[in-house]
Amino acid sequence: MTAKLEVRGVSYSYHSLEGETLALSDISFSVESGQFLAIVGPSGCGKSTLLSLLCGLLCPDQGKILLDGAPLSRDMSSVGYMLQKDHLFEWRTILSNVSLGLEIRKRMDSDSLKTLQEMLSAYGLKGFENSRPSELSGGMRQRAALIRTLALKPDLLLLDEPFSALDYQTRLSVCDDISAILRKERKTAVLVTHDLSEAISVADRILILTPRPGRVKAVLPIEFPDSSSRPLDRRNCPEFSSYFNQVWKELKTDE
Ligand code: ADP
């Protein structure tokens, strides 16, 4: 079976007047359809560079990135993003914020409007269609940002520290909500985070990178007895601390 995402022998260097900086070296991994991969590693190891390569903003110097077996195309509509900031526009209502991507792509019609309204309702934003972003909590705003992304039906979702701007308590519950939504929608997702607990609580596998130049240090499968358990449940399982220690040990051996 072809993997949804396959990264084969990818290397990337930055070039400046001071010289060349090798950021990533010989990175290979794959993500099956519907899987959740988390990428962790020390600061500066190339996590953001890797996401920029996965979304086609940068091109690898060596190696290949395949989506459904084909090289990443210039039309990146099959890849969606969720970033640290929700980037909702205050001058638009919540409904017109979540429809923005569809409007830009000229795909807004009565069917997609109905789908958006159903999603707003399913994800706890019913009654807020005509509100402005500032009237919503941080968690509600992140859910709106996710609906805006999912409305475009991306094949692959890239999440770049999407919860780090939230306070700790909100962060736990938003992470729980969003991970449940992604599982329900059976989305293939790649999450970059510096929070090991977050990675263990959401991922099916964790890719651990070495310090710069980032190389694959280990790929750790994450399995909990109840495969449908949500992040908050996972945090209470005995396996959680054992995974935490394993990832911590892998990261510490580089210091
Ligand atoms: P991370 O997201 O893991 O913190 P980055 O992908 O941002 O790491 O950066 C990887 C390495 O590449 C860093 O060590 C950084 O110094 C270097 N780097 C990032 N951007 C540039 C750039 N524009 N020019 C030169 N070097 C860069």
Side-chain angles (χ1 to χ4, degrees), residues 14-16 21-23 41-50 192 212:
Y14 289 99
H15 298 270
S16 67
T21 308
L22 180 60
S43 181
C45 73
K47 300 185 291 298
S48 307
T49 306
L50 187 51
V192 160
R212 186 170 66 83

Side-chain angles (χ1 to χ4, degrees), residues 24-207:
L24 291 170
S25 173
D26 196 21
I27 301 283
S28 295
F29 64 89
S30 59
V31 189
E32 302 300 325
S33 184
Q35 262 200 344
F36 208 130
L37 176 82
I39 300 175
V40 300
S43 181
C45 73
K47 300 185 291 298
S48 307
T49 306
L50 187 51
L51 273 197
S52 299
L53 288 160
L54 295 181
C55 70
L57 272 177
L58 298 174
C59 282
D61 296 334
Q62 280 171 32
K64 279 186 185 164
I65 300 178
L66 306 171
L67 193 59
D68 286 319
L72 285 182
S73 69
R74 284 197 170 272
D75 169 24
M76 293 304 291
S77 56
S78 46
V79 181
Y81 317 76
M82 236 184 117
L83 308 168
Q84 249 177 56
K85 286 189 68 180
D86 54 54
H87 296 286
L88 296 176
F89 292 118
E90 186 57 27
W91 46 274
R92 285 186 154 236
T93 63
I94 292 303
L95 180 59
S96 62
N97 262 290
V98 298
S99 64
L100 185 61
L102 289 167
E103 280 176 38
I104 291 172
R105 296 220 160 91
K106 304 206 175 349
R107 279 167 45 192
M108 195 61 199
D109 54 22
S110 55
D111 281 348
S112 41
L113 176 64
K114 192 165 162 263
T115 307
L116 284 179
Q117 281 167 331
E118 283 166 4
M119 287 174 93
L120 286 165
S121 170
Y123 303 138
L125 293 172
K126 192 173 170 58
F128 290 90
E129 293 84 349
N130 296 316
S131 305
R132 301 284 161 177
S134 60
E135 296 172 77
L136 270 60
S137 68
M140 292 162 91
R141 292 177 64 122
Q142 274 302 41
R143 286 203 296 270
L146 181 65
I147 294 171
R148 183 185 54 196
T149 305
L150 292 180
L152 294 168
K153 299 196 170 37
D155 281 338
L156 173 69
L157 201 59
L158 304 177
L159 306 149
D160 189 0
E161 306 261 9
F163 316 119
S164 57
L166 304 169
D167 65 75
Y168 186 66
Q169 213 175 332
T170 312
R171 182 180 181 140
L172 290 182
S173 73
V174 174
C175 173
D176 204 57
D177 278 356
I178 291 204
S179 138
I181 295 170
L182 295 180
R183 298 257 178 217
K184 182 166 163 277
E185 304 276 339
R186 300 196 47 75
K187 285 290 166 201
T188 313
V190 176
L191 165 78
V192 160
T193 180
H194 63 266
D195 183 334
L196 305 188
S197 300
E198 190 167 279
I200 298 162
S201 72
V202 299
D204 297 307
R205 278 187 311 149
I206 299 186
L207 180 85

